[in-house]
Amino acid sequence: AEAAERRLRQILDTAPFPIVVVRRADGAFLYSNRPAADLFGIEDSGAVSSAPRYVLDPAHRDRIFSDRPQPDEELQLATAQGGRAIWAT
């Protein structure tokens, strides 16, 4: 189990695209790789207290951070670099 966890961590840490893991209950960032940290201005996984502030559409924000299971969907996010909008899944 530890070897599998190390391997997964290595894959996530070296991915060239942004990856974040957010706790649904309060929107806290639990994990972000370097590309995500750069994109959203995250110093470390716990530094930004609320991921929902990056979700631009209030309807998406309410759905994503509710207790109901959510299908994969595209949503528009604001970046830390001047709030530039990007699309993500």
Side-chain angles (χ1 to χ4, degrees):
E2 286 183 30
E5 187 175 326
R6 280 194 306 274
R7 179 71 180 134
L8 176 60
R9 182 70 175 221
Q10 181 183 22
I11 291 167
L12 295 174
D13 286 347
T14 59
F17 47 84
I19 299 173
V20 296
V21 176
V22 176
R23 186 172 41 228
R24 183 180 284 176
D26 61 2
F29 283 96
L30 301 177
Y31 170 82
S32 62
N33 65 356
R34 177 55 34 206
D38 293 342
L39 186 64
F40 295 110
I42 304 166
E43 294 299 321
D44 63 48
S45 292
V48 178
S49 61
S50 182
R53 72 186 186 115
Y54 292 99
V55 181
L56 295 177
D57 184 337
H60 278 127
R61 189 178 316 122
D62 293 344
R63 274 196 313 276
I64 292 167
F65 293 100
S66 72
D67 290 334
R68 297 180 308 276
Q70 301 299 315
D72 290 338
E73 65 178 288
E74 290 187 344
L75 62 145
Q76 200 169 27
L77 302 173
T79 67
Q81 297 90 12
R84 180 175 59 92
I86 62 166
W87 286 95
T89 55

